[in-house]
């Protein structure tokens, strides 16, 4: 039903930014076994549609309940530590952001595994979205490094969360827009899905443009930060219907 409303271009008549939907997740994502119901919430309706695609409702995980809950990101057992093989919720298995979002372990391994953990009826109505990111990395703030990928599960960028640049490629703003959920002043702080009284750093897909060994994230206080790509941080995936 949500997909039908989205296809008809009527999403804004039926839904509001911040509305939540229960989703039952079952599967292994990295080293985390998921089995339970979590809430995703609308962060934008026809967001940045001239670039990213029309008739799309953008959602992000997660929250603890249908109303008045706690914003959460997924945490694995390696949170705060580094990984050089296999997969935790780390951007890469080496201390480098070379290859940017497009080639990252997060995009090529973790996000597809999360899609597989979604219920089949949700997988069937996902819409791909065109996302521009720094897909080169390697320590230079170069406008030509901003290129497109086609994604169905993705992470947000620094500009999409903050509407400002701190460490990411300075040309993000030429292709991206801040999500309405965040521009409205909603909290950027996320808590751990497994310990909802504890805050967590959570990953963004942006590289730290002027260094080779860092990627962008949101800090435990809700500010723009960065960490080693090898570090396991919170995972807050987004998707479109």
């Amino acid at each position: 039903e949500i997909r039908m409303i989205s296809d008809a271009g009527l999403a804004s008549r039926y839904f509001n930014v911040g509305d939540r939907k229960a989703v039952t997740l079952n599967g292994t994502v990295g080293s985390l076994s998921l089995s339970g119901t979590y809430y995703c919430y609308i962060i934008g309706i026809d967001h940045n549609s001239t670039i990213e695609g029309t008739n799309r409702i953008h959602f992000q995980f997660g929250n603890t309940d249908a109303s008045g809950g706690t914003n959460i990101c997924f945490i694995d057992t390696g949170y705060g530590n580094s990984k050089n093989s296999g997969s935790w919720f780390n951007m890469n298995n080496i201390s480098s952001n070379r290859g940017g979002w497009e080639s990252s372990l997060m995009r090529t391994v973790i996000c597809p595994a999360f899609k597989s953990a979604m219920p089949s009826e949700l997988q069937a109505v996902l819409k791909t979205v065109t996302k521009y990111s720094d897909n080169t990395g390697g320590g230079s703030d170069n406008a030509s490094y901003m290129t497109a990928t086609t994604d169905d599960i993705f992470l947000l960028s620094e500009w999409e969360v903050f509407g400002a640049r701190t460490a990411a490629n300075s040309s993000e703003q030429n292709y991206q827009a801040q999500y309405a959920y965040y521009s409205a002043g909603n909290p950027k702080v996320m808590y751990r899905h497994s310990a909802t009284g504890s805050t967590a750093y959570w990953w963004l897909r942006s590289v730290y443009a002027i260094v080779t060994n860092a990627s962008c994230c949101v800090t435990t206080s809700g500010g723009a930060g960065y960490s080693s790509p090898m570090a396991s941080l919170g995972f807050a995936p987004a998707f479109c219907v």
Side-chain angles (χ1 to χ4, degrees):
E1 291 174 346
I2 294 172
R3 171 67 184 251
M4 289 173 62
I5 292 168
S6 175
D7 286 348
L10 300 174
S12 61
R13 297 190 188 182
Y14 287 85
F15 308 118
N16 295 305
V17 170
D19 286 352
R20 299 169 191 171
K21 176 74 172 70
V23 177
T24 299
L25 301 173
N26 279 292
T28 300
V29 185
S31 64
L32 177 65
S33 179
L34 284 170
S35 179
T37 298
Y38 302 91
Y39 286 81
C40 57
Y41 47 92
I42 296 174
I43 55 174
I45 296 173
D46 281 336
H47 168 82
N48 199 24
S49 59
T50 57
I51 290 177
E52 300 190 16
T54 58
N55 295 344
R56 281 161 171 76
I57 306 171
H58 294 239
F59 292 85
Q60 186 179 15
F61 278 96
N63 199 275
T64 55
D65 59 46
S67 61
T70 300
N71 281 12
I72 55 172
C73 54
F74 298 109
I75 299 295
D76 61 26
T77 56
Y79 178 80
N81 297 302
S82 294
K83 186 79 165 172
N84 59 13
S85 64
S87 55
W88 285 344
F89 292 153
N90 47 312
M91 292 298 292
N92 286 313
N93 283 336
I94 58 173
S95 184
S96 172
N97 60 27
R98 189 170 297 278
W101 165 246
E102 184 172 25
S103 301
S104 67
L105 178 141
M106 180 64 70
R107 179 176 183 266
T108 59
V109 176
I110 299 300
C111 287
F114 185 79
K115 178 181 176 180
S116 295
M118 288 177 160
S120 58
E121 63 267 26
L122 177 51
Q123 293 186 47
V125 298
L126 292 175
K127 293 180 178 178
T128 58
V129 61
T130 300
K131 287 291 186 182
Y132 275 81
S133 313
D134 184 327
N135 291 315
T136 300
S140 179
D141 182 19
N142 191 319
S144 69
Y145 291 177
M146 294 293 298
T147 57
T149 56
T150 301
D151 297 279
D152 49 18
I153 308 296
F154 55 92
L155 299 188
L156 304 192
S157 71
E158 185 182 74
W159 192 271
E160 289 171 340
V161 173
F162 295 100
R165 187 250 181 172
T166 298
N169 191 303
S170 60
S171 294
E172 280 195 347
Q173 61 190 299
N174 297 334
Y175 304 93
Q176 301 173 6
Q178 186 180 24
Y179 273 102
Y181 180 83
Y182 292 107
S183 65
N186 285 298
K188 301 174 180 70
V189 174
M190 294 223 185
Y191 293 79
R192 307 178 191 198
H193 85 283
S194 54
T196 56
S198 299
T199 55
Y201 288 82
W202 53 283
W203 278 123
L204 302 173
R205 72 175 188 273
S206 307
V207 301
Y208 189 163
I210 63 171
V211 300
T212 61
N213 61 349
S215 295
C216 295
C217 66
V218 179
T219 69
T220 53
S221 61
Y226 58 90
S227 184
S228 165
M230 297 174 67
S232 174
L233 302 184
F235 176 56
F239 63 94
C240 291
V241 171

